[in-house]
Amino acid sequence: SQELEQSPQSLIVQEGKNLTINCTSSKTLYGLYWYKQKYGEGLIFLMMLQKGGEEKSHEKITAKLDEKKQQSSLHITASQPSHAGIYLCGADVSGAGSYQLTFGKGTKLSVIP
Amino acid sequence: GAVVSQHPSRVICKSGTSVKIECRSLDFQATTMFWYRQFPKKSLMLMATSNEGSKATYEQGVEKDKFLINHASLTLSTLTVTSAHPEDSSFYICSARGGRGRNQPQHFGDGTRLSIL
């Protein structure tokens, strides 16, 4: 079964609109990482969350990890065409110290000018 | 900082050819490197984890003799797809992680698109 569920699978928004992407796990998240990928390219690291209740922001992107450390959200304020791409959450769900990440299937974001 | 270079970006070759993909950390020492395979509309699938100077740890279902991984230095890991066949065609991505603490993210290369004819 998929350990990390991302929703929605795809999203089309008008430029300037806000949006939220969710990442949910059935297991405790020992580390949660958000990446952005353009089709056919590598992943760009956005943010890392480790503590329950933690929130980080970079420019117009804010990521949160809930208190129970089983869900994270990525919020984009006033979206721009440059935000378009595939957003992936990756998580350490083992806590075993291998630092291996399990990834969600990604959320494809399109921003219409 | 934290730049990972992956080469080549695209390979097209005949069935039966062996293909080597390089992954280099350019501005940090990568104690651990990971190799993933990505299928269209699917999650990244971890193939193996390699630590410098030791044998790679392969995930279940990944053939060790098919996908040879070498992590000879703290800045270089290679993945060799031996006797590649059309079913090996895919997008392969490496990542590198520096340090041993929990606060080190994986940094990814740009991926290699492998097409076997």
Side-chain angles (χ1 to χ4, degrees):
Chain A
S1 63
Q2 181 68 25
E3 294 183 4
L4 280 184
E5 293 284 345
Q6 274 188 249
S7 63
Q9 289 184 340
S10 65
L11 196 53
I12 302 174
V13 299
Q14 198 78 37
E15 182 177 358
K17 296 294 185 183
N18 303 335
L19 63 105
T20 300
I21 298 169
N22 293 300
C23 178
T24 302
S25 171
S26 57
K27 299 182 179 181
T28 298
L29 302 171
Y30 294 96
L32 190 287
Y33 304 79
W34 283 100
Y35 291 89
K36 179 184 175 184
Q37 183 182 28
K38 291 191 176 180
Y39 180 76
E41 298 183 10
L43 279 66
I44 300 168
F45 171 68
L46 296 175
M47 272 173 279
M48 172 178 66
L49 304 165
Q50 292 183 298
K51 299 176 182 177
E54 187 174 9
E55 179 176 323
K56 287 187 177 178
S57 294
H58 178 68
E59 296 181 344
K60 295 184 179 180
I61 301 177
T62 300
K64 300 178 184 179
L65 182 61
D66 74 348
E67 289 289 345
K68 291 184 178 179
K69 295 173 62 176
Q70 287 191 279
Q71 184 172 9
S72 179
S73 61
L74 185 82
H75 184 77
I76 298 177
T77 304
S79 59
Q80 300 171 350
S82 59
H83 288 126
I86 300 170
Y87 288 82
L88 290 149
C89 64
D92 177 355
V93 296
S94 70
S98 66
Y99 309 118
Q100 292 176 349
L101 298 182
T102 298
F103 284 88
K105 289 185 178 181
T107 296
K108 183 180 179 181
L109 172 63
S110 301
V111 180
I112 302 171
Chain B
V3 177
V4 175
S5 173
Q6 188 172 340
H7 180 80
S9 59
R10 186 174 183 101
V11 180
I12 302 173
C13 58
K14 294 181 179 180
S15 185
T17 306
S18 291
V19 179
K20 180 184 281 189
I21 303 170
E22 292 188 350
C23 182
R24 293 180 185 273
S25 56
L26 298 184
D27 54 358
F28 67 101
Q29 292 186 328
T31 51
T32 308
M33 286 186 169
F34 303 86
W35 287 96
Y36 296 86
R37 187 170 175 176
Q38 188 175 35
F39 296 97
K41 299 184 180 180
K42 299 286 186 183
S43 302
L44 286 170
M45 183 192 81
L46 179 66
M47 298 174 65
T49 302
S50 76
N51 293 295
E52 184 266 338
S54 60
K55 289 184 179 180
T57 303
Y58 289 81
E59 295 301 299
Q60 192 173 9
V62 178
E63 299 176 56
K64 299 180 183 181
D65 296 331
K66 177 74 170 177
F67 299 100
L68 300 178
I69 292 171
N70 184 281
H71 192 163
S73 77
L74 282 171
T75 60
L76 174 64
S77 176
T78 60
L79 167 68
T80 301
V81 184
T82 61
S83 187
H85 292 286
E87 59 266 28
D88 298 322
S89 298
S90 192
F91 190 61
Y92 294 86
I93 313 179
C94 71
S95 71
R97 186 177 180 280
R100 299 192 184 278
R102 285 199 174 276
N103 60 347
Q104 298 291 332
Q106 291 182 26
H107 295 281
F108 286 79
D110 284 338
T112 298
R113 175 75 58 190
L114 176 62
S115 300
I116 308 298
L117 305 177

